[in-house]
Amino acid sequence: MGTRAGGLYVGRRAAAAGAALLLALLAALLALAALYGRCRQEAAPPPPPSPRAPGPAAAPPPAPAAGSVRRLPRHLLPLHYDLELWPRVRPGQAGPFAFTGQVNITVRCLRDTDAAVLHSAGLRSRGAAAVRGPLSEPGAAVEVAGLRHDEAGEVAVLELRGRLRAGRRYVLQLGFQGRLDEDLDGLFLTRYTDRGQSSMLIASQMEPTYARRVYPCFDEPAMKATFNIRIIHDPSYVALSNMPAIDVCEVKDENGSLWTVTTFNTSVKMSTYLTAFVICDFDYVTRTERGNEIRIWARKEAVKNGYVDYALNITGPIFSFLEDILNVSYPLPKTDLVALPDFGAGGMENWGLMIFQEASLMNLPSDEFTSRKAMIALVVSHELGHQWFGNLVTMNWWNDLWLNEGLASYFEYLGATFVEPKLSLDKIFYAHVVQPVLREDSEIARSLSESEDKIKGSFSLMSLFDNITYSKGASITWMLSGFLTEKLFIRALTSYLKEFSFSNANQDDLWTHIQMVVDAQDEVQLPAPVKQIMDSWTCQNGFPVLTLNLTSGTIRQEQFFNKNNRKSTDSYNNTWIIPISWMRNGSSQPLTWLDKSSKMFPEMQVSESDYDWILLNVNLSGYYRVNYDQLNLKRLARLLENDPKAIPAVSRFQLIDDVFTLREFGYVPIETALELTKYLAREDELFIWNVVLLNLIPENLESMLKNNAVYPFLKKYLLKRMLPIYHYYAGFIRQNADALEDDYFAQVYLEKLLATACWLGLQDCLDLSSELYAKWRDNPEYKIPFLIRRTVCCYGIAVGSDKEWNFAWEMYNHTDSIEEDEDILLHAMSCAKEPWLLYRYLQYGLSDTLFSSNCTSVIISHVATKDIGHHIAWEFVTENWPLLSQGYGHELLHDVLKAMGRFVKTDVQIQELQVFYNATLEEEERETITMLLESAKLENIERRKLLIKIANWLEKNIDD
């Protein structure tokens, strides 16, 4: 499936779940507001990515749980499907909607049986089922005694009066009908607006187990077959499927109405989850790359305005790049990419008919900023990678899903940086893939590859589509390519792809082909068989942390875990076979291996010289963290102060990220982490500054830190170090922000740097925000540079008066404003420093003529996060609870109430909150809230202890 939607897979540290939940609730509310859509009640003209048009929606039928994993008996093997689908939909028609169909499945009988069992979910029979064959006997048939549907097991059983004989071929014939709903799974209908007109389209999403909701089938990835597909549809629509259309004709229904019949060429052998259908009134742009006709379909307005031109321009080159590097040709004659206004994933790799969220493919032709193009390139490259990893060679079963998603995620970054060479592959891969999943992997109790037996029963396959599968899979692949060398790795992948083309494989098959390549050369020597090395990474939970003792040259490994919350029953006995890339005093050293729990490396013993230092895991070549002894950390800190570029940028990022994470998990004291920040005045990489600021000033704790004794020390210490990089980028903003259009990390991380400078009270930052905001006030046609718009609007209002606030309110209500700007202004209006303005804003939030109910909670949450706002927000909630409760319900404000937990420090405060909860919430809810508040209080107490240590350290080192 496509790349992960931002924020979808969020790790949870179980031991601190209650307190962490309190701190995360606010961010969740803000994200929900974006999901709910526009806050304003009145409709506005649609922006390029179209909102869904209003229209009747059929109530969804009771559906089986997503990702049911009942396995089929191995009596029958599907060879070919003849499939006809007929969605009974006319333009402008009101629901409910349905579809009918007929499927004839040619099967080979592997074992004698008197029943044919296949998948079917939510479908009803249409006409009598039949079984023809054996096909070697013309006219032969096997009588069907009955057709039984097991909805819980998602299977249909054809009970036969005779027996199907092993070695013979038969055709199962089934008519069916189903509901066509708007749930974005299986075959679904979605509504949208194009050129001011309400329209409908029909599309499909089959992965992992939704094909069985569209047609009866053998819905397992290893049961591949070929397909002849025919779609009957309204003549005003065009029908698309995996293969090119070979015939278009007309047919009349039982009422004499005319329909179009589109017939498609026979498909290649593929899994059912890759079958795809789109029926729409879209336009397309096209180009041909090496005989592969590439078409990108989208709303007519979007195509006319050039919104999909960039996606078209990169798709062919990425295809060619992947063909060349893998030395395996793309086997289909055409590729359609369809941009849906509403789709449940970033993209889906259906062979020959890839489907995307509209936002994943569209780019304004005038938008030259690399960050937007990079996002499109990454999503497109991921789905194109699947044409080899997933489509051509598919995992045997979902337990090895990482063979699809992990490898596609790895090639996603190679393909994207090929078409956007200004992106730094190692920096973007580490910042977006490895670092986030390292933080998450210590919290999730599952391995990358599970046993087939484990994924059965009530296990939800959808839970496998997470960051472990995608990002850990990609990270392990990155490490594997690193220690093999890319040349050998690609050679092994080519061998793997060619042997298992149009078939299935498991991870042992991949290890076998890598071993074959390793055995055929003598340049790369491994300490153990490939399977033994790689199983230690894919079949165990978590990852290791290496501890280096420079005096003895000893490296010890252990599983990385939270030492602050370790339970006596926990078991952390895993060991890994670990490749160690390292450098000494700036010189790269030969790769070495740690294949036991502890090992001495004489070459890593250092002298007494302060300039003798060791760096492990250079450029994050391995999937692990490193814990250095105090001697090496002091030498590295000194090196950073004297010559930071002696350590590669990715390794500097990794060094800081490791040490702050090690502090958080109880391995090192905070003072050790802070020592590595002294050099920052000489740090010019924004992605490194970003990880420092996220650790020192988490966004959800800004208001708490502002009122803490640490703030003045933090202000003086950080501003002294931030000024060089701040002035560098402020110069661009004042003179020519467009010059940053190729600076990816500026577009992603400059906002955080600027927001921190303003939060720390840097006068130049406040003046800059005020200047740009005033420029916008004077000329509403002026566009504040988008990469800093949120910060400029916030601090433009914060340092201004009611005039600045009123202008934001006016622009928020402007009919031409787009949703992204509305979200920025919704936040900015909570930045006012005058209490009466915040109170008025909260009052506005009560008005159902100005806002929808979801925005009421967002406004309250925004205000509650500000240093002067949380008391105002709390008083407002308590004073207006009868109205809020009546107008918006308990659920809407439940999270807002819990968000107040971040300010709880004493039992008295808990009691004050409980007085309110006791009067408003049910007993069960009160108990939950009390537990969360108690947990929040304990975390806040621990945080205060930590801040005292930080303040003491800063006070001693503030002038260094």
Side-chain angles (χ1 to χ4, degrees):
M1 204 178 300
T3 48
R4 308 148 302 287
L8 182 58
Y9 304 114
V10 181
R12 294 173 178 83
R13 189 166 296 120
L21 177 61
L22 281 168
L23 299 175
L25 283 171
L26 184 62
L29 280 169
L30 302 185
L32 284 172
L35 291 174
Y36 291 148
R38 298 169 66 91
C39 289
R40 288 213 313 262
Q41 292 293 71
E42 67 272 20
S50 160
R52 294 178 67 184
S68 175
V69 288
R70 171 170 172 175
R71 302 296 294 270
L72 295 176
R74 290 305 187 258
H75 299 133
L76 303 176
L77 178 69
L79 303 175
H80 179 76
Y81 292 77
D82 283 299
L83 173 63
E84 177 184 282
L85 284 177
W86 189 342
R88 308 288 178 138
V89 176
R90 299 287 197 185
Q93 176 186 347
F97 300 101
F99 64 91
T100 60
Q102 174 72 33
V103 65
N104 299 335
I105 311 173
T106 303
V107 299
R108 177 183 292 117
C109 184
L110 303 179
R111 292 166 54 188
D112 286 9
T113 180
D114 59 4
V117 183
L118 66 165
H119 286 113
S120 177
L123 300 173
R124 296 196 303 276
S125 299
R126 190 168 181 267
V131 176
R132 289 196 293 112
L135 296 183
S136 58
E137 302 174 15
V142 179
E143 186 177 353
V144 177
L147 175 60
R148 176 169 52 86
H149 288 275
D150 176 4
E151 283 300 326
E154 299 189 343
V155 295
V157 181
L158 280 80
E159 296 167 334
L160 309 175
R161 298 195 189 280
R163 294 180 70 79
L164 305 183
R165 299 298 181 182
R168 307 290 183 89
R169 290 189 303 153
Y170 300 85
V171 177
L172 314 181
Q173 300 178 325
L174 299 101
F176 56 91
Q177 57 188 347
R179 295 278 295 276
L180 188 60
D181 293 306
E182 299 184 46
D183 56 3
L184 306 182
D185 292 323
L187 191 68
F188 61 89
L189 181 142
T190 185
R191 305 172 191 274
Y192 64 98
T193 300
D194 192 6
R195 300 185 299 188
Q197 299 295 316
S198 177
S199 300
M200 298 185 295
L201 64 80
I202 297 162
S204 64
Q205 168 58 34
M206 305 300 203
E207 189 179 28
T209 56
Y210 298 121
R212 65 191 67 174
R213 299 190 186 186
V214 182
Y215 58 98
C217 57
F218 295 83
D219 197 13
E220 297 189 6
M223 290 188 161
K224 290 188 171 185
T226 55
F227 291 79
N228 278 351
I229 292 170
R230 186 169 77 152
I231 298 176
I232 304 176
H233 56 93
D234 184 87
S236 65
Y237 292 136
V238 64
L240 305 172
S241 188
N242 304 84
M243 300 299 289
I246 56 172
D247 183 63
V248 179
C249 60
E250 294 179 339
V251 68
K252 290 183 179 179
D253 63 17
E254 57 273 12
N255 299 318
S257 297
L258 202 63
W259 296 79
T260 295
V261 182
T262 301
T263 303
F264 300 91
N265 210 344
T266 304
S267 77
V268 295
K269 191 177 179 183
M270 63 185 187
S271 304
T272 50
Y273 79 84
L274 293 172
T275 55
F277 322 101
V278 173
I279 303 167
C280 64
D281 182 24
F282 278 1
D283 277 348
Y284 68 89
V285 290
T286 184
R287 65 180 285 178
T288 300
E289 183 88 8
R290 297 182 178 177
N292 175 14
E293 183 187 12
I294 298 167
R295 299 182 297 185
I296 301 194
W297 299 78
R299 290 177 298 108
K300 294 178 179 180
E301 175 189 28
V303 171
K304 178 182 177 182
N305 292 332
Y307 297 151
V308 294
D309 288 353
Y310 174 74
L312 179 67
N313 291 337
I314 65 171
T315 299
I318 296 174
F319 255 125
S320 296
F321 167 77
L322 290 171
E323 280 189 327
D324 290 342
I325 195 172
L326 295 170
N327 196 27
V328 177
S329 296
Y330 178 67
L332 301 191
K334 70 93 177 177
T335 305
D336 289 313
L337 292 78
V338 184
L340 297 191
D342 202 3
F343 190 56
M348 177 62 206
E349 65 267 20
N350 314 303
W351 222 348
L353 180 56
M354 288 173 268
I355 299 176
F356 297 82
Q357 276 185 357
E358 203 173 60
S360 298
L361 278 187
M362 289 193 183
N363 183 60
L364 295 175
S366 60
D367 185 358
E368 292 299 322
F369 281 91
T370 302
S371 59
R372 178 72 188 152
K373 290 181 176 180
M375 188 276 287
I376 297 171
L378 287 167
V379 175
V380 170
S381 186
H382 181 94
E383 306 310 329
L384 294 183
H386 272 307
Q387 307 309 296
W388 286 264
F389 301 102
N391 297 8
L392 185 65
V393 178
T394 312
M395 72 271 147
N396 272 327
W397 184 242
W398 300 103
N399 62 304
D400 276 332
L401 178 61
W402 82 271
L403 291 175
N404 282 22
E405 300 298 351
L407 287 166
S409 296
Y410 171 79
F411 282 98
E412 160 187 343
Y413 283 84
L414 269 61
T417 53
F418 173 76
V419 292
E420 287 293 340
K422 292 168 185 172
L423 296 174
S424 170
L425 175 61
D426 56 348
K427 292 177 186 176
I428 195 173
F429 191 84
Y430 184 59
H432 292 348
V433 180
V434 187
Q435 189 248 6
V437 77
L438 278 173
R439 284 195 160 268
E440 190 169 338
D441 196 10
S442 58
E443 307 163 4
I444 295 180
R446 81 167 182 85
S447 57
L448 186 58
S449 177
E450 301 282 5
S451 67
E452 284 197 32
D453 292 341
K454 189 170 182 179
I455 302 180
K456 61 183 181 180
S458 61
F459 190 96
S460 171
L461 292 183
M462 290 306 297
S463 68
L464 292 175
F465 290 84
D466 64 358
N467 262 356
I468 298 299
T469 295
Y470 286 77
S471 294
K472 183 174 183 178
S475 301
I476 296 302
T477 304
W478 178 277
M479 178 178 68
L480 175 59
S481 176
F483 71 71
L484 284 177
T485 71
E486 185 178 37
K487 180 179 72 173
L488 293 184
F489 177 59
I490 294 298
R491 188 181 300 167
L493 286 182
T494 300
S495 172
Y496 164 82
L497 288 170
K498 288 184 175 179
E499 174 158 341
F500 296 101
S501 288
F502 308 107
S503 185
N504 298 78
N506 57 38
Q507 74 169 16
D508 280 354
D509 295 318
L510 178 58
W511 305 155
T512 296
H513 280 263
I514 295 173
Q515 189 68 57
M516 288 164 50
V517 168
V518 170
D519 291 345
Q521 55 80 55
D522 54 14
E523 293 179 21
V524 175
Q525 300 296 319
L526 301 180
V530 171
K531 175 176 168 57
Q532 186 180 344
I533 295 170
M534 295 310 299
D535 280 359
S536 75
W537 295 96
T538 61
C539 298
Q540 298 185 118
N541 299 351
F543 60 91
V545 55
L546 306 191
T547 299
L548 170 63
N549 183 311
L550 281 190
T551 305
S552 63
T554 300
I555 301 179
R556 174 173 53 86
Q557 66 161 294
E558 63 179 314
Q559 184 167 353
F560 185 74
F561 63 92
N562 193 337
K563 291 193 172 185
N564 297 321
N565 295 291
R566 183 173 185 177
K567 300 175 183 176
S568 58
T569 56
D570 288 344
S571 175
Y572 295 96
N573 298 319
N574 292 344
T575 57
W576 290 260
I577 301 177
I578 304 170
I580 302 175
S581 61
W582 63 293
M583 65 167 50
R584 181 169 187 163
N585 306 334
S587 298
S588 295
Q589 304 297 314
L591 182 77
T592 190
W593 291 83
L594 178 63
D595 54 3
K596 56 185 75 171
S597 59
S598 181
K599 188 175 180 180
M600 182 180 293
F601 296 88
E603 64 271 28
M604 293 189 192
Q605 294 175 352
V606 297
S607 66
E608 295 182 1
S609 168
D610 288 342
Y611 301 98
D612 197 5
W613 53 271
I614 299 287
L615 188 73
L616 302 186
N617 202 12
V618 178
N619 282 331
L620 201 85
S621 53
Y623 185 73
Y624 52 88
R625 295 196 183 275
V626 179
N627 182 18
Y628 297 102
D629 61 12
Q630 289 296 316
L631 174 62
N632 199 49
L633 277 173
K634 286 180 180 178
R635 293 182 180 182
L636 290 174
R638 184 180 294 107
L639 175 66
L640 286 171
E641 291 184 69
N642 294 330
D643 183 15
K645 296 298 174 75
I647 298 177
V650 169
S651 290
R652 299 199 302 275
F653 183 112
Q654 171 198 354
L655 192 59
I656 291 173
D657 184 54
D658 276 356
V659 76
F660 274 102
T661 306
L662 289 165
R663 194 288 313 166
E664 181 183 349
F665 281 67
Y667 286 80
V668 299
I670 184 60
E671 294 83 358
T672 297
L674 291 170
E675 286 290 334
L676 291 179
T677 67
K678 287 182 176 180
Y679 88 100
L680 285 170
R682 302 186 65 182
E683 182 55 74
D684 57 6
E685 293 277 3
L686 273 175
F687 82 114
I688 296 175
W689 264 104
N690 188 66
V691 76
V692 171
L693 297 178
L694 288 177
N695 277 287
L696 289 179
I697 311 172
E699 290 182 6
N700 59 358
L701 297 179
E702 285 182 353
S703 59
M704 185 274 295
L705 290 172
K706 197 76 175 275
N707 294 309
N708 189 279
V710 76
Y711 178 77
F713 300 118
L714 202 57
K715 174 178 178 176
K716 187 174 180 181
Y717 182 81
L718 277 180
L719 283 183
K720 178 180 178 181
R721 287 158 177 79
M722 285 179 67
L723 284 177
I725 193 169
Y726 166 81
H727 284 304
Y728 174 79
Y729 282 104
F732 280 107
I733 293 166
R734 283 194 166 97
Q735 295 165 25
N736 182 17
D738 289 345
L740 296 173
E741 66 184 23
D742 290 330
D743 189 337
Y744 174 79
F745 285 116
Q747 294 156 49
V748 177
Y749 298 133
L750 183 55
E751 184 92 66
K752 175 65 175 176
L753 183 84
L754 194 75
T756 303
C758 285
W759 180 80
L760 291 169
L762 180 62
Q763 192 59 49
D764 187 76
C765 182
L766 298 173
D767 291 344
L768 176 61
S769 298
S770 185
E771 290 167 16
L772 295 179
Y773 191 84
K775 195 172 180 180
W776 184 37
R777 269 191 67 204
D778 293 340
N779 175 19
E781 297 300 316
Y782 168 74
K783 292 291 186 183
I784 299 169
F786 185 77
L787 65 170
I788 56 166
R789 196 174 299 168
R790 183 180 179 90
T791 296
V792 167
C793 288
C794 175
Y795 285 95
I797 290 173
V799 300
S801 65
D802 59 331
K803 293 179 181 178
E804 282 70 25
W805 196 98
N806 291 337
F807 175 74
W809 175 250
E810 176 188 344
M811 297 308 295
Y812 178 82
N813 288 284
H814 200 281
T815 55
D816 291 336
S817 62
I818 63 172
E819 188 174 333
E820 212 161 13
D821 284 341
E822 288 177 10
D823 292 339
I824 287 171
L825 290 171
L826 200 69
H827 167 263
M829 287 185 283
S830 71
C831 297
K833 296 299 183 185
E834 293 287 346
W836 70 271
L837 281 173
L838 293 179
Y839 190 80
R840 186 179 74 176
Y841 188 30
L842 292 167
Q843 287 287 350
Y844 283 0
L846 286 177
S847 170
D848 56 9
T849 61
L850 298 174
F851 296 104
S852 60
S853 59
N854 53 286
C855 273
T856 304
S857 65
V858 173
I859 291 169
I860 295 171
S861 300
H862 278 323
V863 174
T865 62
K866 302 303 183 290
D867 49 327
I868 69 165
H870 65 273
H871 293 303
I872 296 170
W874 180 248
E875 288 177 8
F876 178 81
V877 168
T878 55
E879 290 172 2
N880 293 279
W881 178 252
L883 179 61
L884 291 169
S885 177
Q886 181 182 4
Y888 308 110
H890 274 71
E891 289 301 317
L892 186 65
L893 287 176
H894 204 147
D895 290 345
V896 176
L897 297 175
K898 287 188 283 188
M900 299 305 296
R902 74 182 58 192
F903 306 108
V904 173
K905 298 170 187 165
T906 66
D907 290 333
V908 172
Q909 288 173 313
I910 288 181
Q911 290 168 7
E912 289 174 355
L913 291 174
Q914 282 179 327
V915 169
F916 177 74
Y917 291 137
N918 290 342
T920 56
L921 300 177
E922 300 295 329
E923 182 176 353
E924 185 176 324
E925 292 177 309
R926 292 199 299 266
E927 292 177 1
T928 302
I929 291 292
T930 299
M931 291 174 61
L932 288 170
L933 290 174
E934 187 63 36
S935 180
K937 184 191 80 170
L938 295 175
E939 184 169 279
N940 289 336
I941 290 171
E942 288 302 311
R943 186 180 295 110
R944 276 194 296 168
K945 294 177 182 176
L946 175 64
L947 292 176
I948 290 171
K949 293 179 180 178
I950 293 175
N952 289 337
W953 187 91
L954 289 173
E955 188 174 14
K956 295 174 185 174
N957 294 275
I958 208 156
D959 295 319
D960 286 2

